[in-house]
Amino acid sequence: MLKRSFLKTTLAAAALAAAGVAHAQAPLPPGYKAEYKMSLVVPPSFPWGKGGEIWANLVKERTQGRINIKLYPGVSLVQGDQTREFTAIRQGVIDMAIGSTINWSPQIKELNLFSMPFLMPDYKAIDALTQGEVGKQIFAIVDKAGALPLAWGENGYRELTNSKRAVRTPDDLKGLKIRIVGSPLFIDTFTALGANPTQMSWADAQPAFASGAVDGQENPMSIFTAAKLHNVGQKHVTMWGYVADPLIFVVNKEVWASWTPADQQIVRQAAIDAGKEQIAIARKGLDEADKPLLKEIAALGVTVTQLTPAEREAFVKATRPVYDKWKAQIGAGLVEAAEKAIAAR
Ligand code: X2X
């Protein structure tokens, strides 16, 4: 008897609790997960990771919590190996990501387009590609490779830094051990310049700078400041603007198919809105005429070398054979479409 009334009370309490939960949060549509995993290389203290936070928050707000996204910075879902990220998205180990074209280029050779040395001279040139026909072609290729692309973001212009000396000429790079990531295109570029390139993940790179195992690297200034690379010996910056890596917002295709059309539309629009905001954050301090971010970096005790057009041209010339070789590998048609779009910007 006692046992039975206890059971009754417990059941009633459970029913009430369930009703309470249902009141606060409508039940998820069938097939929805309680949480989705978003992969990122860096956390929200970097403009790139901030883009992930903005996207996740917009989605949560606009779906009233139906789609709840957790950030996994440090590409932790693939144990820090950023060049395996795209495969993991395709396979469903990762539900969604904002990834650099560099990190996915081992799987999608056309993404090497953005790593072609000195292809994009300025921000307008990046926009001419990502916001135009070339961008559409690239999205079709990413889609075919197995993940659904939704929007563009930007890591930024990758400037050269090192611990040894100010670099003004290809000769100054001779013998410097430079950390690179991603595709063999980077090995070719730095070999052509007389440097000694070594491939390693971002996770491994930072201790390697600190210990002096490598002399230099190339990354956007927003990464330089957020990671405080001046504290790990990177005291010389050369603004050469040789390559910029866009970011692509993607979703795993099965995850996408599991959402209602209305929620798909919300996730897509949120990615576009977050991408726009993220690009503005990534360019802050660099797209103004006086580039105020460079003054801040110089104030950290860093030498900032700005090349004259003639000095820059020497780097262009030295890497031209690499450009020509990779034009064929990427596909001459795509590269020529990019060259035309940039010329017409
Ligand atoms: O590893 C890098 O250099 C980084 C953080 O820029 C990328 O993920 C491409």
Side-chain angles (χ1 to χ4, degrees):
M1 195 66 190
L2 193 70
K3 215 173 170 183
R4 209 163 141 196
S5 74
F6 171 76
L7 191 66
K8 246 178 159 172
T9 326
T10 314
L11 283 175
L16 266 176
V21 166
H23 181 74
Q25 169 90 64
L28 291 176
Y32 277 47
K33 299 191 209 179
E35 192 170 272
Y36 294 92
K37 297 183 166 91
M38 185 197 294
S39 178
L40 299 159
V41 176
V42 289
S45 50
F46 295 63
W48 179 349
K50 188 76 191 167
E53 186 182 84
I54 296 169
W55 189 20
N57 285 343
L58 287 176
V59 168
K60 186 167 191 167
E61 203 179 288
R62 294 176 186 176
T63 62
Q64 277 98 39
R66 277 190 304 282
I67 297 177
N68 181 28
I69 301 164
K70 185 173 172 192
L71 272 45
Y72 288 82
V75 261
S76 58
L77 298 167
V78 283
Q79 293 74 46
D81 184 353
Q82 64 218 65
T83 56
R84 278 175 37 218
E85 187 181 53
F86 189 80
T87 306
I89 297 161
R90 213 180 44 211
Q91 293 171 343
V93 174
I94 291 169
D95 296 317
M96 54 216 297
I98 307 177
S100 161
T101 49
I102 297 174
N103 295 334
W104 299 351
S105 61
Q107 288 82 38
I108 308 174
K109 73 171 175 13
E110 290 87 350
L111 292 183
N112 281 298
L113 175 69
F114 301 99
S115 305
M116 288 280 267
F118 303 101
L119 168 68
M120 300 179 292
D122 50 36
Y123 285 124
K124 280 208 174 89
I126 306 179
D127 295 341
L129 300 189
T130 58
Q131 307 307 313
E133 275 311 309
V134 169
K136 284 193 192 125
Q137 274 189 54
I138 294 277
F139 270 17
I141 291 163
V142 171
D143 189 328
K144 207 166 152 223
L148 188 75
L150 298 178
W152 292 95
E154 189 167 293
N155 194 15
Y157 273 101
R158 302 179 71 88
E159 312 295 358
L160 183 65
T161 80
N162 82 90
S163 59
K164 298 284 190 216
R165 53 183 173 258
V167 171
R168 273 202 177 274
T169 68
D171 246 14
D172 294 332
L173 255 174
K174 284 243 151 54
L176 289 186
K177 194 162 181 185
I178 305 292
R179 173 268 173 175
I180 48 145
V181 65
S183 104
L185 167 46
F186 287 86
I187 296 181
D188 288 352
T189 298
F190 283 89
T191 304
L193 291 168
N196 174 14
T198 175
Q199 202 165 340
M200 60 178 77
S201 71
W202 175 240
D204 292 339
Q206 296 169 86
F209 304 141
S211 72
V214 303
D215 303 316
Q217 61 94 45
E218 43 80 64
N219 246 305
M221 287 298 96
S222 64
I223 295 264
F224 184 92
T225 52
K228 299 187 170 43
L229 293 187
H230 61 284
N231 285 343
V232 285
Q234 298 298 296
K235 292 291 188 193
H236 304 281
V237 171
T238 299
M239 299 296 292
W240 65 343
Y242 86 125
V243 156
D245 52 332
L247 303 175
I248 305 181
F249 290 59
V250 297
V251 175
N252 166 277
K253 288 195 174 185
E254 273 178 36
V255 167
W256 182 260
S258 73
W259 290 333
T260 64
D263 280 346
Q264 288 174 346
Q265 182 47 33
I266 288 175
V267 173
R268 180 189 295 279
Q269 191 57 49
I272 293 167
D273 296 346
K276 281 206 184 104
E277 206 178 328
Q278 190 277 327
I279 290 173
I281 298 168
R283 293 183 184 183
K284 198 164 173 289
L286 293 169
D287 63 351
E288 302 87 338
D290 60 339
K291 298 192 166 82
L293 185 61
L294 298 187
K295 285 196 197 83
E296 286 172 35
I297 291 170
L300 301 169
V302 173
T303 337
V304 179
T305 302
Q306 308 229 41
L307 302 178
T308 65
E311 284 170 339
R312 191 171 182 273
E313 199 49 38
F315 288 93
V316 175
K317 210 173 146 211
T319 53
R320 198 64 206 186
V322 177
Y323 187 102
D324 295 338
K325 171 184 166 188
W326 279 85
K327 184 169 179 172
Q329 299 211 15
I330 291 164
L334 181 62
V335 177
E336 270 153 27
E339 288 165 346
K340 276 200 196 107
I342 290 168
R345 78 194 182 282

